Amino acid sequence: MVDKIIPQSARFYLCDDVRTEVGGKSTLIGLYPNDEITLSRPAAVEPEPATAIFFEGFSILVAFDRGLGELELLIDLKAPNGQSLITGQKAKLKAEKIGPVTFSARFRPFATPEFGEHTYEVSIDGTKFTYRFQLVHSPQDIEGQAHKIELA
């Protein structure tokens, strides 16, 4: 009898929040269907080297094709410039029977050095699943949505 099955594929969903319902279903709130989060900033579009883009945050749901047993995950998140925002964060999933497995992560609040393509990676026993999403600037300034902070 097999006691562990590692997923072979995954789908990623970018949203504002994920809620786990009774019975294991996931409810996605504020889905970004084009894998792009659009933020507004005051006139200075690109942050200067000593500043960061700071906003309320987001969530990512990963739906793996199948899994079984206790699965250990390693999570990494990188900015467009390659800077690690999260490195080697550990999480565990437990699948009692063979079937689809989901995992969600919240990034609240969130700070990054620049707009552009961010890379989210989840590894399970050496099998890596990669997702890329965009953080883009809107020319409109929506008060309170994005803020500039000084880095020490």
Side-chain angles (χ1 to χ4, degrees), residues 35-48:
D35 303 316
E36 180 178 288
I37 298 173
T38 303
L39 297 176
S40 296
R41 286 178 63 89
V45 175
E46 290 300 321
E48 297 173 20

Side-chain angles (χ1 to χ4, degrees), residues 8 10 12 19 43 46 59-60 62 72 79 98 130 139 142 147:
Q8 297 301 303
F12 293 83
R19 307 277 167 86
E46 290 300 321
S59 296
I60 296 176
V62 186
E72 292 190 22
I98 298 173
T130 303
I142 301 171
H147 305 282

Side-chain angles (χ1 to χ4, degrees), residues 70-121:
E70 193 162 303
L71 306 173
E72 292 190 22
L73 287 67
L74 279 178
I75 299 162
D76 294 301
L77 179 61
K78 293 183 181 172
N81 64 6
Q83 176 184 345
S84 291
L85 303 174
I86 295 172
T87 304
Q89 180 73 41
K90 294 180 180 182
K92 288 187 180 186
L93 282 177
K94 189 165 187 171
E96 301 287 338
K97 59 183 181 178
I98 298 173
V101 182
T102 60
F103 169 77
S104 63
R106 287 186 179 133
F107 303 95
R108 299 193 186 291
F110 186 71
T112 182
E114 61 186 328
F115 291 105
E117 184 178 84
H118 288 67
T119 304
Y120 178 70
E121 293 180 344

